[in-house]
Amino acid sequence: MFAAASLTSASKPEQYAELCEQARGLLHGERDRIANAANFAALVYHALPDLNWAGFYFFDGRELVVGPFQGRPACVRIALGTGVCGAAAATRQTQVVRDVHAFPGHIACDAASRSEIVVPLFDGERLIGVWDVDSPKLARFDDDDRAGMEQLASIFVASLRGM
Ligand code: SME
């Protein structure tokens, strides 16, 4: 049975390196998308400080549909190009939003959210969905979080291919 150890490193890059190792261990040997997404969201949500939502929206060929997550119930469907999640999917770029109130079209699922990071997920060129993390703290996410979350997301995507 996998047991997630609490993070012991001090710096953000070191914390993400530890978390990536834990994520690889947690997803190893399993390719089921729901199982891996659920465990991945739980791992990250409980490991990192100051988060109020962490989870997935998957692309169904038309729009983004909420997947496994930790946090309060969320809006179910998001059109491409709408909100932070839709912007990440449409631009194919990670969105780091220091103040969600200043982001045009931001979709408020939890009124406590103040900042957000969304990483788009691809299998080659094909959009799979997005990995979305919210914080009640203003400007919670920086370039270290962008690099760390992108690396974590790539571990999730690789797990679906059995890698
Ligand atoms: N805030 C997101 C919607 C999803 S919730 O944060 C869980 C957005 O604007 O796309």
Side-chain angles (χ1 to χ4, degrees):
M1 176 60 199
F2 174 87
S6 53
L7 300 177
T8 53
S9 303
S11 76
K12 271 192 188 183
E14 286 170 338
Q15 285 187 350
Y16 277 106
E18 261 191 80
L19 198 47
C20 284
E21 207 172 304
Q22 293 183 6
R24 276 189 210 96
L26 182 61
L27 307 186
H28 180 75
E30 181 55 65
R31 294 179 63 171
D32 184 87
R33 184 167 84 167
I34 293 175
N36 285 357
N39 264 337
F40 183 92
L43 175 74
V44 175
Y45 184 79
H46 290 286
L48 295 179
D50 301 317
L51 306 183
N52 63 323
W53 204 89
F56 291 86
Y57 280 85
F58 290 125
F59 184 56
D60 71 354
R62 213 173 73 87
E63 56 194 352
L64 297 169
V65 184
V66 76
F69 66 90
Q70 299 276 311
R72 291 188 188 279
C75 47
V76 176
R77 290 174 185 274
I78 298 176
L80 296 194
T82 302
V84 187
C85 291
T91 62
R92 303 189 157 226
Q93 303 283 323
T94 297
Q95 306 291 306
V96 180
V97 179
R98 66 180 303 284
D99 179 0
V100 295
H101 297 161
F103 189 94
H106 167 254
I107 303 162
C109 292
D110 183 342
S113 295
R114 292 305 313 278
S115 57
E116 181 163 2
I117 183 167
V118 182
V119 181
L121 308 173
F122 294 98
D123 181 10
E125 286 293 297
R126 189 176 63 88
L127 177 68
I128 299 173
V130 302
W131 163 241
D132 178 17
V133 183
D134 288 25
S135 172
K137 256 178 92 173
L138 190 67
R140 159 69 179 77
F141 305 106
D142 59 17
D143 278 343
D144 286 340
D145 295 287
R146 179 198 298 267
M149 290 292 186
E150 286 180 348
Q151 210 194 335
L152 276 169
S154 75
I155 291 167
F156 169 75
V157 171
S159 78
L160 306 182
R161 293 193 235 108
M163 293 163 69

